[in-house]
Amino acid sequence: MTAGRSVTHENLGAWVIKCNPQKTPLAPMVAAGEAKRSWCVADNYRSGLMQPGQRALFWVSAHRRRGFWGAGIITGVATREDGRLHVPVEIPLFGAPLTAAELSTVPELATLELFRSPQQANPSWVSKREVRILDRLLDVHWNRATPR
């Protein structure tokens, strides 16, 4: 359970990069088949824990198909761009999202930070336990997703 816990290297399963399509255009990313390569993150202890090679999930909020739209990795350390902290990523998009509605049917995922604290700034995170459950769902999801 992640409720009330801080993320550490020991309990991190994956970072979650969130995109609000009302602020960041989603259509160009969908057309390209991948999330943009750099995302603004809060300058806090979490961004300090982000390292190249760590897993990253791409969550789209404020959309009728809110949910995970892609999975990939952190490709570098967070650096300052235009006065804000940005982290480089490589996140291919799925053929179709794994929606919050689908995720809400899995009781073990009810404590996802994305559900408990949806306004949390980037990055959010999922625990090792949660990512094991998500891996099973994403494997099924990848197998049924339509290719781009």
Side-chain angles (χ1 to χ4, degrees):
M1 183 167 152
T2 59
R5 290 194 1 198
S6 297
V7 61
T8 66
H9 286 293
E10 291 74 32
N11 65 8
L12 173 67
W15 294 109
V16 178
I17 301 298
K18 296 186 290 186
C19 170
N20 179 340
Q22 296 172 358
K23 296 181 180 183
T24 304
L26 189 58
M29 291 183 274
V30 171
E34 67 179 352
K36 65 182 190 164
R37 296 288 180 124
S38 177
W39 286 89
C40 186
V41 293
D43 189 356
N44 59 27
Y45 85 98
R46 289 182 181 198
S47 56
L49 291 172
M50 299 178 94
Q51 298 177 357
Q54 291 174 327
R55 294 179 68 182
L57 297 169
F58 185 61
W59 178 267
V60 174
S61 63
H63 189 278
R64 65 179 178 77
R65 299 197 69 203
R66 177 176 69 109
F68 289 115
W69 284 52
I73 61 168
I74 304 297
T75 59
V77 296
T79 57
R80 293 229 173 263
E81 298 174 24
D82 301 323
R84 297 183 302 172
L85 203 58
H86 286 256
V87 67
V89 298
E90 187 173 299
I91 305 177
L93 299 184
F94 305 141
L98 176 59
T99 66
E102 292 170 292
L103 293 167
S104 69
T105 66
V106 181
E108 298 87 357
L109 296 177
T111 58
L112 281 174
E113 183 176 67
L114 295 158
F115 294 148
R116 290 183 296 103
S117 183
Q119 299 303 318
Q120 178 79 31
N122 272 332
S124 193
W125 70 292
V126 295
S127 70
K128 286 181 177 178
R129 181 188 64 80
E130 291 165 336
V131 88
R132 282 192 299 272
I133 296 162
L134 286 169
D135 279 345
R136 292 193 308 264
L137 295 172
L138 292 173
D139 181 51
V140 169
H141 187 73
W142 273 104
N143 289 335
R144 73 164 197 246
T146 53
R148 295 200 176 276

